Amino acid sequence: MQQRLILLAALGSALMLATAFGFQHIGDLAPCKLCINQRWPHAVAVLIGLVAALFPHRILALFGAAAALSTSAIGFYHAGVEWKWWEGPSTCTSGPVGELAVKDLLNQILEAPMVRCDEIPWEMFGLSMAGWNGVISLGLALVWLAAAFQPKTR
């Protein structure tokens, strides 16, 4: 049962990555910096799942849970940035322009990222992609934890 749960969680992360790349390459929605940061823990979870499929161990499942929890946290943080609950990284958002001189405004425009982290490019049922990543990844973390604490069978 532990191996099945591990494979389910790893497959979940693989599907999250495939969905992200689908939105990027098929849906033409370029990712922002925080979007990219959410992908790395999913990739790590997939790799952990592959290793754990060959060598199942509680510690690997706990590492998988940590990867899923980290992308969930980044997703919730990113959703908060999108909803303007808090500021995002300065490399990912734009600041006020009212007091800037023309030269400073031009520099800000030229240095601004192509895709901003504080805008919602897509949402469903009131949640952005970042919000959905937070929720789904939290669920995946629970699957990893269930695998980690699965009783040993003979």
Side-chain angles (χ1 to χ4, degrees):
M1 185 64 158
Q2 181 186 43
Q3 265 186 314
R4 288 183 184 181
L5 289 171
I6 287 172
L7 289 174
L8 177 66
L11 180 62
S13 281
L15 288 173
M16 293 295 286
L17 281 173
T19 301
F21 284 115
F23 272 106
Q24 179 180 349
H25 296 289
I26 298 169
D28 236 6
L29 291 175
C32 71
K33 183 177 182 176
L34 287 175
C35 294
I36 299 294
N37 290 345
Q38 291 171 75
R39 293 178 185 186
W40 287 106
H42 280 300
V44 169
V46 170
L47 291 174
I48 291 170
L50 292 173
V51 171
L54 299 172
F55 310 103
H57 197 277
R58 175 174 291 176
I59 194 74
L60 290 173
L62 290 173
F63 284 139
L69 284 172
S70 66
T71 189
S72 178
I74 298 168
F76 285 131
Y77 169 74
H78 187 185
V81 170
E82 291 172 332
W83 288 101
K84 314 289 190 270
W85 293 342
W86 45 75
E87 282 192 35
S90 61
T91 58
C92 210
T93 59
S94 73
V97 296
E99 302 291 322
L100 294 178
V102 174
K103 181 181 176 185
D104 295 331
L105 179 59
L106 181 60
N107 285 336
Q108 182 175 332
I109 291 169
L110 293 175
E111 293 172 8
M114 295 299 288
V115 179
R116 293 177 40 179
C117 297
D118 59 352
E119 293 179 351
I120 300 173
W122 178 92
E123 69 177 78
M124 183 174 72
F125 305 123
L127 284 179
S128 66
M129 285 186 277
W132 279 111
N133 181 58
V135 171
I136 293 169
S137 297
L138 187 58
L140 291 174
L142 293 175
V143 174
W144 280 108
L145 289 172
F149 295 107
Q150 199 59 223
K152 296 260 183 186
T153 56
R154 294 180 201 222

